[in-house]
Amino acid sequence: MKFVYAQAPLQEAEFVLIGVPDESGNKSPRAGSKRGPDAIRKVAYERCVFKRKGTFSFAQASPVSIKQKIHDYGNVEKKKLSKVIEVLKGKIPIVLGGDHSITAEVLKQFPEVTVIYFDAHEDIISSLHDYYGSVLTDTKINLGKCLQIGVREKAIEELKHIKKESLGLISAETCHEKGMEFVWGEIQNKVIGPVYLSIDLDVFDPSLAPAVAHPSPGGLNYYDVLFLLKKILKEYDVVGFDIMELTPSYDHDQRTAHLATKLLLEMIENYKEKK
């Protein structure tokens, strides 16, 4: 099944959606994130009834007007992802995972970006490689330019690495205590140049997004994350984004898939057009 909102041919598309059904980096007992891309496509289809005379009729009210040109490239192997993105230069890749180690493959094509990384975990375990807990370590990105938001599960090794690399970190607790305006100010102080957005669905509280590999209580709420994403997408040159770690077998009411789909559509709608 293709992403129902993706109606543009590849050559005309502004955004190219790429599924990567891979969880080879997953070391969690919660398996199944390889089915995440198709679960998002399925929910997107269910939210959109059918096409009538060139316009969509929606199953439920939505603030999103789908005017952007989107192409669904289909699913690709993780080892081929970097080359696919290289071919698509000039278009905005939207990558759906799969486990979070996939992001390291994307960033091979964007070595100079500032990465804004929404996650419950730091993902900089330098003693491990090709693992979604070492995503940022596995790249050539300057970690001093990067910023992590929503962290609430820290390992000793990661804390040492954060200090060494001057990685920016805003914990979930700080988000709740100081508010999103404070967080937005910290983002503005940190960002240099183009931005890549990476979203692990475990950044959200498990009450909103239970179907992730490592759920962690005390996460962010949907509108707080959306507030920041809208600001970033309007203010900065965002070269691409991803949504990772949807694990459908733990999503019995499709709560997480619906959240991921709505978030995806809002990000497309709020993307700042390049001049």
Side-chain angles (χ1 to χ4, degrees):
M1 178 182 292
K2 294 291 186 179
F3 187 59
V4 69
Y5 300 94
Q7 299 293 313
L10 179 58
Q11 61 271 24
E12 297 178 11
E14 305 164 68
F15 299 87
V16 179
L17 186 138
I18 307 166
V20 187
D22 187 286
E23 55 183 307
S24 58
N26 182 21
K27 289 180 169 54
S28 165
R30 284 190 162 208
S33 61
K34 65 184 179 182
R35 294 189 290 275
D38 287 339
I40 291 175
R41 290 184 176 105
K42 180 176 182 292
V43 164
Y45 179 80
E46 291 173 356
R47 291 174 67 88
C48 179
V49 181
F50 51 82
K51 191 176 182 183
R52 277 191 197 151
K53 297 181 180 179
T55 61
F56 284 108
S57 176
F58 294 97
Q60 51 188 289
S62 171
V64 180
S65 58
I66 308 301
K67 59 186 178 182
Q68 288 80 2
K69 295 181 179 179
I70 309 167
H71 177 81
D72 188 341
Y73 196 89
N75 291 340
V76 304
E77 296 178 40
K78 177 180 172 181
K79 64 183 179 181
K80 296 180 180 179
L81 177 60
S82 180
K83 289 296 183 183
V84 169
I85 292 174
E86 183 179 20
V87 171
L88 297 175
K89 280 185 177 177
K91 302 181 186 298
I92 307 303
I94 305 168
V95 182
L96 304 179
D99 74 62
H100 215 160
S101 66
I102 293 164
T103 298
E105 294 297 313
V106 180
L107 293 176
K108 289 179 180 179
Q109 294 300 325
F110 301 111
E112 303 300 323
V113 299
T114 293
V115 179
I116 301 181
Y117 200 81
F118 290 82
D119 202 320
H121 312 87
E122 290 96 336
D123 286 1
I124 51 171
I125 301 177
S126 56
S127 59
L128 296 174
H129 295 279
D130 194 27
Y131 164 48
Y132 67 161
S134 61
V135 177
L136 293 178
T137 308
D138 294 345
T139 70
K140 296 181 179 180
I141 299 294
N142 177 359
L143 295 184
K145 291 174 56 178
C146 299
L147 183 63
Q148 292 188 307
I149 299 172
V151 173
R152 54 197 184 275
E153 296 285 347
K154 303 181 181 70
I156 293 175
E157 180 183 351
E158 290 177 322
L159 291 172
K160 290 178 179 178
H161 205 183
I162 287 168
K163 185 175 181 180
K164 177 183 176 182
E165 299 290 346
S166 300
L167 174 66
L169 186 150
I170 303 174
S171 69
E173 185 176 9
T174 297
C175 291
H176 287 299
E177 289 182 352
K178 296 192 176 182
M180 292 300 111
E181 289 289 355
F182 170 83
V183 177
W184 171 235
E186 293 296 293
I187 292 171
Q188 290 176 299
N189 291 335
K190 191 73 173 178
V191 170
I192 301 173
V195 169
Y196 183 84
L197 289 169
S198 183
I199 301 170
D200 188 322
L201 290 168
D202 71 15
V203 75
F204 295 100
D205 191 79
S207 62
L208 302 174
V212 296
H214 283 285
S216 178
L220 305 187
N221 69 53
Y222 174 80
Y223 282 106
D224 281 347
V225 173
L226 183 60
F227 171 85
L228 295 177
L229 291 175
K230 284 183 174 181
K231 293 279 193 183
I232 295 165
L233 288 160
K234 294 293 186 183
E235 183 74 19
Y236 297 111
D237 176 17
V238 177
V239 297
F241 51 90
D242 63 52
I243 298 177
M244 299 293 175
E245 296 290 344
L246 172 61
T247 308
S249 54
Y250 293 86
D251 205 23
H252 303 299
D253 59 359
Q254 296 183 307
R255 186 184 314 171
T256 316
H258 275 281
L259 183 150
T261 302
K262 182 172 173 57
L263 192 71
L264 170 60
L265 293 173
E266 289 280 9
M267 291 174 75
I268 293 171
E269 171 66 11
N270 285 282
Y271 183 84
K272 181 187 71 174
E273 293 184 5
K274 289 182 171 60
K275 296 180 181 179

